[in-house]
Amino acid sequence: MAVTDHVDLPTFMEGVKKRNAHQPEFVQAVQEVAEDIFDFMQDKEEYHAQQILRRIAEPDRVVSFRVCWEDDNGNVRVQRGWRVQNNNAIGPYKGGIRFHPSVTESVLKFLAFEQTFKNALTGLPMGGGKGGSNFNPKGKSVREIMRFCQSFMTELYRHIGADVDVPAGDIGVGAREIGFMFGQYKRITNNFTGVLTGKGLEWGGSLIRTEATGYGAVYFLANMLATKSEDLNGKTAVISGSGNVATHAAEKIVQLGGKVVTLSDSGGYIYDPDGINQEKIDWVKSHKTHRRGRIEEYVDAFPGASFHAGKTPWGVPCDVALPCATQNELLGDDARLLITNGCKAVSEGANMPTDLDGVHVFKAAKILYAPGKASNAGGVAVSGLEMSQNSERRSWKEEELQQMLKDIMLGIHKSCLAYGDQGGGYVDYVKGANIAGFKKVADAMLAFGVV
Ligand code: NDP
Protein backbone atom coordinates (compact mmCIF):
# COMPACT_ATOMS: atom_id res chain seq x y z
CA MET A 1 0.00 0.00 0.00
CA ALA A 2 1.25 3.47 -0.86
CA VAL A 3 2.25 5.63 2.03
CA THR A 4 1.21 9.25 1.55
CA ASP A 5 3.55 11.80 2.94
CA HIS A 6 1.53 14.60 4.56
CA VAL A 7 4.28 16.94 5.60
CA ASP A 8 3.34 20.31 7.03
CA LEU A 9 4.39 23.66 5.54
CA PRO A 10 7.50 24.23 7.72
CA THR A 11 8.78 20.70 7.00
CA PHE A 12 8.09 21.13 3.28
CA MET A 13 9.98 24.45 3.26
CA GLU A 14 12.87 22.94 5.22
CA GLY A 15 13.26 20.42 2.40
CA VAL A 16 13.08 23.13 -0.26
CA LYS A 17 15.75 25.15 1.57
CA LYS A 18 18.01 22.12 1.98
CA ARG A 19 17.76 21.08 -1.66
CA ASN A 20 18.22 24.64 -2.90
CA ALA A 21 20.90 25.94 -0.58
CA HIS A 22 22.18 29.38 -1.64
CA GLN A 23 19.14 30.01 -3.85
CA PRO A 24 17.22 32.58 -1.76
CA GLU A 25 15.06 34.01 -4.56
CA PHE A 26 13.84 30.55 -5.55
CA VAL A 27 13.10 29.59 -1.93
CA GLN A 28 11.22 32.89 -1.45
CA ALA A 29 9.05 32.28 -4.52
CA VAL A 30 8.22 28.71 -3.46
CA GLN A 31 7.39 29.87 0.08
CA GLU A 32 4.98 32.53 -1.19
CA VAL A 33 3.09 29.97 -3.24
CA ALA A 34 3.28 27.15 -0.68
CA GLU A 35 1.70 29.35 2.03
CA ASP A 36 -1.53 29.44 0.02
CA ILE A 37 -1.37 26.02 -1.60
CA PHE A 38 -0.99 24.10 1.65
CA ASP A 39 -4.27 25.52 2.84
CA PHE A 40 -5.99 24.68 -0.42
CA MET A 41 -4.60 21.11 -0.55
CA GLN A 42 -5.68 20.25 2.97
CA ASP A 43 -8.60 18.07 1.86
CA LYS A 44 -7.19 17.08 -1.54
CA GLU A 45 -5.59 13.72 -0.96
CA GLU A 46 -4.60 13.13 -4.57
CA TYR A 47 -2.38 16.22 -4.74
CA HIS A 48 -0.58 15.00 -1.63
CA ALA A 49 -0.32 11.40 -2.77
CA GLN A 50 1.09 12.46 -6.13
CA GLN A 51 3.51 14.97 -4.51
CA ILE A 52 2.29 17.62 -6.95
CA LEU A 53 3.69 20.72 -5.21
CA ARG A 54 7.02 19.00 -4.61
CA ARG A 55 7.17 18.15 -8.32
CA ILE A 56 6.24 21.67 -9.53
CA ALA A 57 8.95 23.07 -7.25
CA GLU A 58 11.58 20.89 -8.94
CA PRO A 59 12.34 22.15 -12.48
CA ASP A 60 11.99 19.59 -15.28
CA ARG A 61 15.55 20.57 -16.14
CA VAL A 62 18.10 23.34 -15.74
CA VAL A 63 20.50 23.73 -18.64
CA SER A 64 23.65 25.66 -17.79
CA PHE A 65 26.23 26.57 -20.39
CA ARG A 66 29.29 28.66 -21.18
CA VAL A 67 28.95 31.64 -23.52
CA CYS A 68 32.21 32.87 -25.07
CA TRP A 69 32.40 36.01 -27.16
CA GLU A 70 34.94 38.55 -28.30
CA ASP A 71 34.73 42.21 -27.32
CA ASP A 72 35.62 45.12 -29.61
CA ASN A 73 39.21 45.10 -28.39
CA GLY A 74 39.69 41.45 -29.30
CA ASN A 75 39.52 40.19 -25.70
CA VAL A 76 37.87 36.82 -25.14
CA ARG A 77 35.02 37.13 -22.62
CA VAL A 78 33.28 34.26 -20.84
CA GLN A 79 29.75 34.42 -19.42
CA ARG A 80 27.27 31.93 -17.99
CA GLY A 81 24.00 31.12 -19.74
CA TRP A 82 21.00 29.14 -18.48
CA ARG A 83 17.62 27.88 -19.57
CA VAL A 84 15.33 26.68 -16.79
CA GLN A 85 12.48 24.51 -18.08
CA ASN A 86 10.23 24.36 -15.06
CA ASN A 87 7.04 22.63 -16.15
CA ASN A 88 5.37 21.76 -19.48
CA ALA A 89 2.19 20.11 -18.20
CA ILE A 90 -0.12 22.48 -20.08
CA GLY A 91 1.99 23.51 -23.07
CA PRO A 92 5.52 24.17 -24.35
CA TYR A 93 7.84 25.92 -21.90
CA LYS A 94 7.46 29.67 -22.27
CA GLY A 95 9.22 32.56 -20.54
CA GLY A 96 11.68 35.36 -21.17
CA ILE A 97 15.44 35.69 -21.40
CA ARG A 98 17.17 38.14 -19.04
CA PHE A 99 20.61 39.67 -19.55
CA HIS A 100 21.74 41.36 -16.34
CA PRO A 101 24.80 40.98 -14.08
CA SER A 102 22.50 39.97 -11.19
CA VAL A 103 21.26 36.86 -13.05
CA THR A 104 21.97 33.60 -11.21
CA GLU A 105 20.49 30.11 -11.34
CA SER A 106 18.39 31.03 -8.28
CA VAL A 107 16.88 34.09 -9.97
CA LEU A 108 16.03 32.13 -13.11
CA LYS A 109 14.56 29.22 -11.13
CA PHE A 110 12.30 31.64 -9.23
CA LEU A 111 11.23 33.31 -12.46
CA ALA A 112 10.52 29.96 -14.20
CA PHE A 113 8.51 28.76 -11.17
CA GLU A 114 6.41 31.96 -11.12
CA GLN A 115 6.01 31.80 -14.88
CA THR A 116 4.41 28.36 -14.60
CA PHE A 117 1.47 29.76 -12.59
CA LYS A 118 1.28 33.00 -14.56
CA ASN A 119 1.05 31.21 -17.88
CA ALA A 120 -1.66 28.92 -16.52
CA LEU A 121 -3.65 31.97 -15.39
CA THR A 122 -3.74 33.40 -18.92
CA GLY A 123 -5.87 30.44 -20.01
CA LEU A 124 -3.47 29.81 -22.92
CA PRO A 125 -1.61 26.50 -23.40
CA MET A 126 1.85 27.49 -22.17
CA GLY A 127 4.20 25.85 -19.67
CA GLY A 128 6.75 27.76 -17.58
CA GLY A 129 10.41 28.49 -18.29
CA LYS A 130 12.99 31.25 -18.06
CA GLY A 131 16.53 31.84 -19.21
CA GLY A 132 19.30 34.34 -19.35
CA SER A 133 22.86 35.26 -18.63
CA ASN A 134 24.95 37.34 -16.25
CA PHE A 135 26.08 39.31 -19.33
CA ASN A 136 25.78 43.07 -18.73
CA PRO A 137 24.60 44.83 -21.90
CA LYS A 138 25.25 48.27 -20.35
CA GLY A 139 28.17 50.05 -22.00
CA LYS A 140 28.51 47.42 -24.72
CA SER A 141 28.54 48.34 -28.41
CA VAL A 142 25.79 47.05 -30.70
CA ARG A 143 28.34 44.73 -32.36
CA GLU A 144 29.33 43.30 -28.98
CA ILE A 145 25.70 42.69 -28.10
CA MET A 146 25.17 41.00 -31.46
CA ARG A 147 28.16 38.71 -30.98
CA PHE A 148 27.02 37.83 -27.48
CA CYS A 149 23.45 37.05 -28.64
CA GLN A 150 24.78 34.86 -31.45
CA SER A 151 27.03 32.93 -29.11
CA PHE A 152 24.21 32.52 -26.57
CA MET A 153 21.91 31.12 -29.26
CA THR A 154 24.60 28.81 -30.61
CA GLU A 155 24.07 26.74 -27.47
CA LEU A 156 20.44 27.55 -26.69
CA TYR A 157 19.07 26.50 -30.11
CA ARG A 158 19.36 22.78 -29.31
CA HIS A 159 17.07 23.12 -26.27
CA ILE A 160 14.21 25.16 -27.78
CA GLY A 161 11.59 24.82 -30.53
CA ALA A 162 8.12 26.09 -31.47
CA ASP A 163 6.52 23.08 -29.73
CA VAL A 164 9.26 22.61 -27.12
CA ASP A 165 10.25 25.90 -25.52
CA VAL A 166 9.59 29.42 -26.80
CA PRO A 167 11.69 32.14 -25.09
CA ALA A 168 10.91 35.88 -25.20
CA GLY A 169 12.52 39.10 -23.91
CA ASP A 170 12.90 40.34 -20.34
CA ILE A 171 15.26 42.76 -18.57
CA GLY A 172 18.07 43.67 -20.97
CA VAL A 173 16.48 41.76 -23.86
CA GLY A 174 14.27 43.77 -26.21
CA ALA A 175 13.39 43.58 -29.91
CA ARG A 176 17.00 44.19 -30.97
CA GLU A 177 18.38 41.24 -28.97
CA ILE A 178 15.48 38.99 -30.02
CA GLY A 179 16.37 39.90 -33.63
CA PHE A 180 20.02 38.90 -33.17
CA MET A 181 19.03 35.64 -31.49
CA PHE A 182 16.35 34.77 -34.06
CA GLY A 183 18.82 35.51 -36.87
CA GLN A 184 21.30 33.07 -35.39
CA TYR A 185 18.64 30.41 -34.73
CA LYS A 186 17.54 30.64 -38.36
CA ARG A 187 21.10 30.48 -39.60
CA ILE A 188 21.87 27.34 -37.61
CA THR A 189 18.63 25.43 -38.18
CA ASN A 190 17.49 26.82 -41.55
CA ASN A 191 14.07 26.93 -39.93
CA PHE A 192 11.78 30.00 -39.97
CA THR A 193 9.50 29.10 -37.12
CA GLY A 194 7.88 30.74 -34.11
CA VAL A 195 10.68 29.79 -31.74
CA LEU A 196 10.94 33.19 -30.04
CA THR A 197 8.33 35.84 -29.29
CA GLY A 198 8.74 39.60 -29.15
CA LYS A 199 9.85 39.48 -32.78
CA GLY A 200 9.77 42.51 -35.10
CA LEU A 201 6.50 43.08 -36.96
CA GLU A 202 8.16 42.42 -40.33
CA TRP A 203 9.32 38.94 -39.33
CA GLY A 204 6.54 37.28 -37.37
CA GLY A 205 6.02 39.60 -34.39
CA SER A 206 2.63 40.56 -33.00
CA LEU A 207 1.12 43.99 -32.66
CA ILE A 208 0.85 45.26 -29.05
CA ARG A 209 3.40 42.76 -27.68
CA THR A 210 5.65 45.64 -26.64
CA GLU A 211 2.88 47.44 -24.78
CA ALA A 212 1.12 44.37 -23.38
CA THR A 213 2.78 43.88 -19.98
CA GLY A 214 2.48 47.51 -18.86
CA TYR A 215 -1.00 47.98 -20.32
CA GLY A 216 -2.13 44.67 -18.83
CA ALA A 217 -0.90 45.65 -15.35
CA VAL A 218 -3.00 48.81 -15.55
CA TYR A 219 -6.07 46.94 -16.85
CA PHE A 220 -5.71 44.62 -13.86
CA LEU A 221 -5.42 47.63 -11.54
CA ALA A 222 -8.56 49.13 -13.07
CA ASN A 223 -10.37 45.79 -12.60
CA MET A 224 -9.40 45.78 -8.92
CA LEU A 225 -10.51 49.39 -8.41
CA ALA A 226 -13.82 48.61 -10.12
CA THR A 227 -14.64 46.16 -7.31
CA LYS A 228 -14.70 49.26 -5.06
CA SER A 229 -16.63 51.29 -7.66
CA GLU A 230 -13.53 53.36 -8.37
CA ASP A 231 -11.41 54.07 -11.45
CA LEU A 232 -8.06 55.62 -12.32
CA ASN A 233 -9.37 59.04 -13.26
CA GLY A 234 -7.65 61.68 -11.10
CA LYS A 235 -5.56 59.12 -9.19
CA THR A 236 -1.87 59.74 -8.47
CA ALA A 237 0.44 56.87 -9.44
CA VAL A 238 3.95 56.06 -8.29
CA ILE A 239 5.86 53.81 -10.71
CA SER A 240 9.34 52.32 -10.44
CA GLY A 241 11.52 51.37 -13.40
CA SER A 242 11.80 53.15 -16.73
CA GLY A 243 12.02 50.23 -19.12
CA ASN A 244 9.44 48.51 -21.25
CA VAL A 245 6.96 47.66 -18.49
CA ALA A 246 7.23 50.93 -16.55
CA THR A 247 6.85 53.26 -19.54
CA HIS A 248 3.85 51.40 -20.95
CA ALA A 249 2.19 51.20 -17.55
CA ALA A 250 2.69 54.97 -17.27
CA GLU A 251 1.22 55.49 -20.73
CA LYS A 252 -1.95 53.55 -19.93
CA ILE A 253 -2.40 55.29 -16.56
CA VAL A 254 -2.23 58.65 -18.35
CA GLN A 255 -4.68 57.46 -21.03
CA LEU A 256 -7.14 56.50 -18.28
CA GLY A 257 -6.93 59.93 -16.64
CA GLY A 258 -4.38 59.23 -13.90
CA LYS A 259 -1.30 61.26 -13.01
CA VAL A 260 2.11 59.53 -12.90
CA VAL A 261 4.65 61.32 -10.69
CA THR A 262 7.69 59.00 -10.54
CA LEU A 263 9.89 56.70 -12.64
CA SER A 264 13.24 55.17 -11.68
CA ASP A 265 16.23 53.08 -12.66
CA SER A 266 19.03 51.44 -10.74
CA GLY A 267 20.55 54.90 -10.11
CA GLY A 268 17.53 56.38 -8.28
CA TYR A 269 14.10 57.89 -9.00
CA ILE A 270 12.73 61.09 -10.50
CA TYR A 271 9.74 62.92 -9.02
CA ASP A 272 7.76 65.17 -11.32
CA PRO A 273 4.99 66.99 -9.42
CA ASP A 274 3.49 68.27 -12.70
CA GLY A 275 2.90 64.70 -13.86
CA ILE A 276 4.73 62.62 -16.46
CA ASN A 277 2.52 63.13 -19.51
CA GLN A 278 2.67 61.35 -22.88
CA GLU A 279 5.29 63.72 -24.28
CA LYS A 280 7.55 63.07 -21.29
CA ILE A 281 6.93 59.31 -21.47
CA ASP A 282 7.96 59.36 -25.15
CA TRP A 283 11.12 61.21 -24.15
CA VAL A 284 11.92 58.54 -21.51
CA LYS A 285 11.28 55.69 -23.97
CA SER A 286 13.60 57.18 -26.53
CA HIS A 287 16.20 58.20 -23.94
CA LYS A 288 16.37 54.73 -22.34
CA THR A 289 15.95 52.63 -25.48
CA HIS A 290 17.74 54.49 -28.26
CA ARG A 291 20.20 56.64 -26.33
CA ARG A 292 20.65 54.07 -23.52
CA GLY A 293 20.57 57.04 -21.11
CA ARG A 294 19.97 57.29 -17.35
CA ILE A 295 16.75 58.47 -15.72
CA GLU A 296 18.59 61.22 -13.81
CA GLU A 297 18.94 63.12 -17.12
CA TYR A 298 15.14 63.60 -17.05
CA VAL A 299 15.59 66.61 -14.77
CA ASP A 300 17.72 68.37 -17.40
CA ALA A 301 14.97 67.93 -19.98
CA PHE A 302 12.13 68.74 -17.54
CA PRO A 303 13.45 71.14 -14.86
CA GLY A 304 10.28 70.98 -12.71
CA ALA A 305 11.34 67.48 -11.64
CA SER A 306 13.86 66.33 -9.02
CA PHE A 307 16.22 63.33 -8.97
CA HIS A 308 16.77 61.24 -5.82
CA ALA A 309 19.99 59.25 -6.16
CA GLY A 310 20.13 55.69 -4.80
CA LYS A 311 16.50 55.79 -3.60
CA THR A 312 13.27 53.99 -4.51
CA PRO A 313 10.07 56.02 -4.99
CA TRP A 314 7.86 54.37 -2.34
CA GLY A 315 7.94 57.35 0.04
CA VAL A 316 6.09 59.58 -2.45
CA PRO A 317 2.39 59.87 -1.46
CA CYS A 318 0.08 58.21 -4.00
CA ASP A 319 -3.25 56.49 -4.55
CA VAL A 320 -1.81 53.60 -6.55
CA ALA A 321 1.66 52.09 -6.93
CA LEU A 322 3.16 49.98 -9.71
CA PRO A 323 6.57 48.40 -9.04
CA CYS A 324 7.88 47.74 -12.58
CA ALA A 325 11.68 47.38 -12.23
CA THR A 326 12.92 44.16 -10.64
CA GLN A 327 12.58 41.57 -7.84
CA ASN A 328 12.70 42.61 -4.18
CA GLU A 329 12.63 46.34 -4.90
CA LEU A 330 9.75 47.01 -2.46
CA LEU A 331 10.50 45.89 1.08
CA GLY A 332 8.39 45.62 4.21
CA ASP A 333 9.14 49.18 5.36
CA ASP A 334 8.32 50.54 1.90
CA ALA A 335 4.98 48.73 2.04
CA ARG A 336 4.24 50.26 5.47
CA LEU A 337 5.15 53.71 4.17
CA LEU A 338 2.89 53.35 1.14
CA ILE A 339 -0.03 52.40 3.35
CA THR A 340 0.64 55.22 5.85
CA ASN A 341 0.65 57.65 2.91
CA GLY A 342 -2.77 56.45 1.75
CA CYS A 343 -1.95 54.06 -1.11
CA LYS A 344 -5.08 52.04 -1.92
CA ALA A 345 -3.88 49.66 -4.60
CA VAL A 346 -0.66 48.02 -5.81
CA SER A 347 -0.32 46.28 -9.15
CA GLU A 348 3.01 44.56 -9.79
CA GLY A 349 4.44 45.04 -13.27
CA ALA A 350 7.74 43.36 -12.33
CA ASN A 351 8.17 39.78 -11.11
CA MET A 352 8.21 39.43 -7.31
CA PRO A 353 9.11 43.12 -6.72
CA THR A 354 7.65 42.93 -3.20
CA ASP A 355 9.58 40.88 -0.64
CA LEU A 356 7.76 38.42 1.65
CA ASP A 357 7.57 40.97 4.48
CA GLY A 358 5.98 43.49 2.11
CA VAL A 359 3.49 40.91 0.84
CA HIS A 360 2.42 40.19 4.43
CA VAL A 361 2.06 43.95 5.12
CA PHE A 362 -0.21 44.46 2.09
CA LYS A 363 -2.27 41.39 2.99
CA ALA A 364 -2.66 42.46 6.61
CA ALA A 365 -3.75 45.97 5.54
CA LYS A 366 -6.27 44.34 3.14
CA ILE A 367 -5.52 46.79 0.36
CA LEU A 368 -6.01 45.89 -3.30
CA TYR A 369 -2.74 44.09 -4.00
CA ALA A 370 -2.05 42.16 -7.21
CA PRO A 371 0.99 39.88 -7.44
CA GLY A 372 2.98 39.98 -10.68
CA LYS A 373 1.95 36.49 -11.69
CA ALA A 374 -1.58 37.85 -12.15
CA SER A 375 -1.09 41.52 -13.04
CA ASN A 376 1.90 41.29 -15.39
CA ALA A 377 0.62 38.28 -17.34
CA GLY A 378 -0.47 40.49 -20.26
CA GLY A 379 2.97 40.26 -21.86
CA VAL A 380 3.17 36.51 -21.95
CA ALA A 381 -0.50 36.37 -22.98
CA VAL A 382 0.23 38.39 -26.11
CA SER A 383 3.34 36.24 -26.62
CA GLY A 384 0.95 33.27 -26.60
CA LEU A 385 -1.15 35.07 -29.21
CA GLU A 386 2.04 35.68 -31.23
CA MET A 387 2.64 31.90 -31.19
CA SER A 388 -0.91 31.29 -32.47
CA GLN A 389 -0.44 33.84 -35.25
CA ASN A 390 2.88 32.23 -36.22
CA SER A 391 1.26 28.78 -36.36
CA GLU A 392 -1.56 30.13 -38.50
CA ARG A 393 0.90 32.13 -40.64
CA ARG A 394 -1.19 35.27 -40.29
CA SER A 395 -1.31 38.53 -38.28
CA TRP A 396 -4.30 39.70 -36.33
CA LYS A 397 -5.42 43.33 -36.28
CA GLU A 398 -4.52 45.69 -33.47
CA GLU A 399 -8.13 46.17 -32.29
CA GLU A 400 -8.63 42.39 -32.09
CA LEU A 401 -5.47 42.00 -30.01
CA GLN A 402 -6.28 44.93 -27.73
CA GLN A 403 -9.66 43.36 -26.99
CA MET A 404 -8.10 39.92 -26.41
CA LEU A 405 -5.60 41.45 -23.96
CA LYS A 406 -8.38 43.18 -22.04
CA ASP A 407 -10.45 39.98 -21.99
CA ILE A 408 -7.51 37.90 -20.76
CA MET A 409 -6.75 40.38 -17.95
CA LEU A 410 -10.43 40.34 -16.97
CA GLY A 411 -10.36 36.53 -17.02
CA ILE A 412 -7.33 36.46 -14.70
CA HIS A 413 -9.09 38.90 -12.38
CA LYS A 414 -12.13 36.61 -12.28
CA SER A 415 -9.94 33.58 -11.48
CA CYS A 416 -8.38 35.52 -8.60
CA LEU A 417 -11.83 36.39 -7.26
CA ALA A 418 -12.94 32.76 -7.55
CA TYR A 419 -10.20 31.53 -5.19
CA GLY A 420 -9.23 34.69 -3.32
CA ASP A 421 -12.51 36.22 -2.13
CA GLN A 422 -12.22 36.27 1.68
CA GLY A 423 -15.64 37.84 2.32
CA GLY A 424 -16.33 41.23 3.86
CA GLY A 425 -15.22 42.96 0.67
CA TYR A 426 -11.62 41.71 0.85
CA VAL A 427 -9.99 39.78 -1.97
CA ASP A 428 -6.65 38.10 -1.36
CA TYR A 429 -5.33 38.30 -4.93
CA VAL A 430 -2.11 36.49 -4.03
CA LYS A 431 -4.03 33.50 -2.77
CA GLY A 432 -6.47 33.65 -5.67
CA ALA A 433 -3.68 33.73 -8.27
CA ASN A 434 -1.64 31.01 -6.58
CA ILE A 435 -4.53 28.60 -6.27
CA ALA A 436 -6.07 29.22 -9.71
CA GLY A 437 -2.66 28.85 -11.41
CA PHE A 438 -1.68 25.82 -9.34
CA LYS A 439 -4.95 23.97 -9.85
CA LYS A 440 -4.76 24.07 -13.64
CA VAL A 441 -1.18 22.78 -13.75
CA ALA A 442 -1.76 20.25 -10.96
CA ASP A 443 -4.81 18.72 -12.64
CA ALA A 444 -2.90 18.30 -15.89
CA MET A 445 -0.07 16.64 -13.98
CA LEU A 446 -2.49 14.22 -12.34
CA ALA A 447 -3.67 13.15 -15.79
CA PHE A 448 -0.12 12.23 -16.84
CA GLY A 449 0.67 9.94 -13.92
CA VAL A 450 4.05 9.90 -12.26
CA VAL A 451 6.39 11.38 -14.87
P1 NDP B 1 13.75 46.63 -19.03
O1 NDP B 1 15.12 46.09 -19.20
O2 NDP B 1 13.07 47.25 -20.19
O3 NDP B 1 13.72 47.68 -17.83
C1 NDP B 1 14.12 47.32 -16.54
C2 NDP B 1 14.02 48.54 -15.64
O4 NDP B 1 14.23 48.13 -14.31
C3 NDP B 1 15.07 49.59 -15.96
O5 NDP B 1 14.56 50.84 -15.63
C4 NDP B 1 16.19 49.18 -15.02
O6 NDP B 1 17.07 50.24 -14.69
C5 NDP B 1 15.41 48.77 -13.80
N1 NDP B 1 16.20 47.82 -13.01
C6 NDP B 1 16.71 46.63 -13.43
N2 NDP B 1 17.39 46.05 -12.44
C7 NDP B 1 17.31 46.88 -11.39
C8 NDP B 1 17.80 46.85 -10.07
N3 NDP B 1 18.54 45.81 -9.64
N4 NDP B 1 17.50 47.90 -9.25
C9 NDP B 1 16.76 48.94 -9.68
N5 NDP B 1 16.27 49.03 -10.93
C10 NDP B 1 16.53 48.02 -11.76
O7 NDP B 1 12.90 45.42 -18.45
P2 NDP B 1 11.32 45.20 -18.44
O8 NDP B 1 10.63 46.50 -18.30
O9 NDP B 1 10.98 44.32 -19.58
O10 NDP B 1 11.13 44.32 -17.12
C11 NDP B 1 10.89 44.90 -15.83
C12 NDP B 1 10.29 43.86 -14.92
O11 NDP B 1 9.07 43.37 -15.49
C13 NDP B 1 11.14 42.61 -14.66
O12 NDP B 1 10.89 42.13 -13.35
C14 NDP B 1 10.58 41.62 -15.67
O13 NDP B 1 10.84 40.28 -15.30
C15 NDP B 1 9.11 41.96 -15.57
N6 NDP B 1 8.30 41.52 -16.71
C16 NDP B 1 8.59 41.93 -17.98
C17 NDP B 1 7.80 41.51 -19.01
C18 NDP B 1 7.97 42.04 -20.39
O14 NDP B 1 7.09 41.78 -21.23
N7 NDP B 1 9.01 42.79 -20.70
C19 NDP B 1 6.70 40.53 -18.81
C20 NDP B 1 6.42 40.25 -17.41
C21 NDP B 1 7.23 40.69 -16.42
P3 NDP B 1 18.54 50.28 -15.31
O15 NDP B 1 18.36 50.86 -16.69
O16 NDP B 1 19.30 51.14 -14.39
O17 NDP B 1 19.05 48.87 -15.34
Side-chain angles (χ1 to χ4, degrees):
M1 203 179 95
V3 179
T4 58
D5 185 9
H6 275 229
V7 295
D8 58 5
L9 177 61
T11 314
F12 174 80
M13 283 313 303
E14 258 332 290
V16 172
K17 278 181 202 150
K18 222 189 252 166
R19 286 189 299 277
N20 301 280
H22 315 299
Q23 300 201 333
E25 294 86 358
F26 178 65
V27 171
Q28 179 185 338
V30 175
Q31 165 118 27
E32 193 230 74
V33 170
E35 281 176 7
D36 291 323
I37 297 304
F38 259 75
D39 222 22
F40 171 70
M41 287 200 310
Q42 230 169 29
D43 55 349
K44 297 180 180 59
E45 179 54 32
E46 214 170 359
Y47 293 153
H48 283 288
Q50 299 299 321
Q51 297 273 1
I52 295 292
L53 185 57
R54 169 93 162 76
R55 283 158 63 189
I56 295 183
E58 197 65 57
D60 288 355
R61 68 189 61 78
V62 179
V63 184
S64 161
F65 50 95
R66 184 183 65 230
V67 188
C68 301
W69 59 286
E70 215 174 281
D71 69 20
D72 287 345
N73 299 319
N75 301 308
V76 173
R77 311 280 289 262
V78 184
Q79 244 79 46
R80 275 200 179 161
W82 290 270
R83 187 70 186 164
V84 179
Q85 297 179 330
N86 194 68
N87 188 293
N88 68 351
I90 63 167
Y93 305 106
K94 177 99 199 83
I97 293 177
R98 178 177 292 191
F99 292 162
H100 194 274
S102 65
V103 166
T104 59
E105 191 172 309
S106 168
V107 167
L108 295 176
K109 276 173 68 178
F110 116 64
L111 287 163
F113 178 78
E114 287 279 295
Q115 193 84 43
T116 302
F117 303 100
K118 181 192 309 194
N119 292 1
L121 282 169
T122 65
L124 300 174
M126 300 182 289
K130 200 84 187 188
S133 171
N134 58 356
F135 171 71
N136 185 359
K138 273 190 208 130
K140 303 291 187 301
S141 71
V142 176
R143 288 279 159 183
E144 288 176 323
I145 288 172
M146 181 186 77
R147 286 195 291 274
F148 178 80
C149 288
Q150 290 175 339
S151 186
F152 185 82
M153 184 52 85
T154 302
E155 173 59 32
L156 186 69
Y157 89 94
R158 58 187 103 239
H159 308 292
I160 59 177
D163 295 317
V164 179
D165 183 353
V166 184
D170 191 70
I171 291 179
V173 179
R176 182 179 69 183
E177 290 74 20
I178 293 289
F180 291 148
M181 286 192 269
F182 188 66
Q184 183 72 350
Y185 180 86
K186 207 162 56 60
R187 176 161 75 166
I188 297 171
T189 63
N190 197 24
N191 212 338
F192 195 111
T193 178
V195 72
L196 293 171
T197 58
K199 299 187 291 299
L201 291 179
E202 306 79 9
W203 38 281
S206 174
L207 287 164
I208 82 158
R209 172 62 188 91
T210 314
E211 299 88 342
T213 307
Y215 280 18
V218 177
Y219 291 144
F220 199 93
L221 178 60
N223 290 332
M224 290 199 296
L225 288 170
T227 64
K228 306 277 178 204
S229 308
E230 289 194 45
D231 60 28
L232 278 159
N233 199 22
K235 296 259 186 325
T236 298
V238 159
I239 298 182
S240 65
S242 48
N244 174 283
V245 180
T247 51
H248 291 103
E251 189 166 289
K252 187 51 76 180
I253 294 264
V254 170
Q255 285 171 14
L256 296 179
K259 180 179 176 186
V260 177
V261 292
T262 68
L263 286 173
S264 73
D265 64 17
S266 47
Y269 78 91
I270 55 107
Y271 170 59
D272 187 341
D274 299 330
I276 304 170
N277 60 19
Q278 187 64 51
E279 180 207 337
K280 295 172 178 175
I281 294 168
D282 289 341
W283 183 91
V284 174
K285 278 188 194 172
S286 166
H287 183 65
K288 293 288 287 189
T289 314
H290 303 305
R291 297 192 289 278
R292 306 269 150 182
R294 310 302 305 154
I295 199 69
E296 64 176 296
E297 282 136 19
Y298 181 99
V299 299
D300 302 328
F302 306 104
S306 51
F307 175 64
H308 304 264
K311 296 223 160 65
T312 49
W314 314 123
V316 175
C318 63
D319 302 304
V320 298
L322 293 102
C324 297
T326 193
Q327 65 271 8
N328 291 330
E329 54 161 323
L330 197 165
L331 311 179
D333 284 342
D334 301 319
R336 283 177 205 98
L337 196 54
L338 279 166
I339 287 163
T340 308
N341 286 339
C343 179
K344 292 191 188 85
V346 177
S347 179
E348 294 183 344
N351 286 309
M352 207 171 75
T354 311
D355 75 349
L356 267 178
D357 186 15
V359 172
H360 293 150
V361 170
F362 288 146
K363 279 188 173 202
K366 298 192 171 178
I367 65 161
L368 298 167
Y369 164 56
K373 64 173 77 72
S375 47
N376 74 26
V380 74
V382 175
S383 273
L385 301 177
E386 183 174 330
M387 288 165 73
S388 303
Q389 293 171 83
N390 291 166
S391 299
E392 276 190 57
R393 301 263 188 272
R394 60 178 292 223
S395 304
W396 296 335
K397 292 196 186 78
E398 177 165 349
E399 310 83 72
E400 293 176 274
L401 288 158
Q402 291 281 13
Q403 194 53 50
M404 284 188 228
L405 173 61
K406 275 190 197 159
D407 290 347
I408 288 171
M409 296 316 294
L410 194 60
I412 298 172
H413 187 260
K414 267 194 195 142
S415 300
C416 290
L417 291 188
Y419 292 100
D421 192 342
Q422 305 296 291
Y426 172 57
V427 179
D428 183 341
Y429 284 92
V430 179
K431 186 175 190 170
N434 282 339
I435 295 176
F438 172 81
K439 190 173 180 314
K440 183 163 178 189
V441 177
D443 290 347
M445 288 173 74
L446 287 180
F448 301 141
V450 182
V451 289

